[in-house]
Amino acid sequence: DLDMRNPSVCRTLGITPPTELRDFFEGRVDSPDDLFMSIGIDNLLIAGNVTPTDNSAELLASSKLEELLDFVRRTTTNPLILIDLPPVLSPDDTLVVAPRIDSVVLVACEGKTPRADILKAGELLADFPIVGLVLNRSSESVQGYGYGYGYGQRSQSGQK
């Protein structure tokens, strides 16, 4: 959870990290090893914060981010590192982190995120690989699979 201005991962999961990420970024913790915890799911470790900080962009711009990412890559076989960041149009945090990661997934909320904001975020991230867009809280219901094989439609014999 590198959304250090509004940390929510630990709060959402109802957990408290053994050591907060901000303590590592602010130099109060030397080893990234102390940051990670398991929540009982195989091959999943979480590092997070519960205390907000206003200087998150400055902390993320430091060499501590590379140190943290290098630690995960050295100590884990083929890691998939997911980083929660604040909205692209809010603080500079996402633009500070984007050059240091492999790809970005944009997340928008139906009915809350204006289309213009999604387009502006895409423009700001144009120099980085965007691998997808997640639409949260969609109210649209999907009827059937709809791939073209006729799932959910009656055949000529009247059977499904």
Side-chain angles (χ1 to χ4, degrees):
D1 186 359
L2 289 181
D3 184 350
M4 291 197 268
R5 291 174 190 263
N6 183 23
S8 62
V9 172
C10 291
R11 183 178 64 241
T12 300
L13 295 172
I15 57 177
T16 302
T19 304
E20 291 193 71
L21 277 165
R22 72 177 248 180
D23 290 333
F24 172 73
F25 280 94
E26 291 176 349
R28 289 189 295 276
V29 173
D30 293 328
S31 173
D33 193 38
D34 298 330
L35 300 173
F36 295 93
M37 65 185 154
S38 172
I39 59 168
I41 298 173
D42 289 344
N43 299 315
L44 176 66
L45 294 175
I46 295 177
N49 294 292
V50 291
T51 310
T53 182
D54 290 332
N55 64 335
S56 56
E58 293 81 5
L59 295 174
L60 292 169
S62 74
S63 61
K64 289 289 196 176
L65 179 58
E66 280 83 12
E67 185 180 338
L68 180 63
L69 295 173
D70 289 343
F71 172 81
V72 173
R73 291 179 183 121
R74 273 192 336 269
T75 59
T76 309
T77 305
N78 298 320
L80 174 62
I81 304 169
L82 302 175
I83 301 172
D84 183 36
L85 291 163
V88 176
L89 302 182
S90 292
D92 294 335
D93 299 26
T94 301
L95 297 176
V96 168
V97 174
R100 300 162 163 180
I101 58 177
D102 296 328
S103 57
V104 175
V105 175
L106 283 174
V107 179
C109 180
E110 181 182 24
K112 186 174 178 184
T113 308
R115 185 180 304 247
D117 287 359
I118 297 169
L119 295 172
K120 181 66 175 171
E123 290 172 15
L124 290 171
L125 295 170
D127 292 336
F128 312 105
I130 299 175
V131 295
L133 172 66
V134 173
L135 182 61
N136 277 344
R137 301 181 186 141
S138 176
S139 61
E140 180 180 335
S141 64
V142 178
Q143 301 295 324
Y145 185 58
Y147 187 66
Y149 289 113
Y151 295 121
Q153 298 176 355
R154 294 190 180 272
S155 67
Q156 289 181 353
S157 66
Q159 298 176 358
K160 270 192 163 181

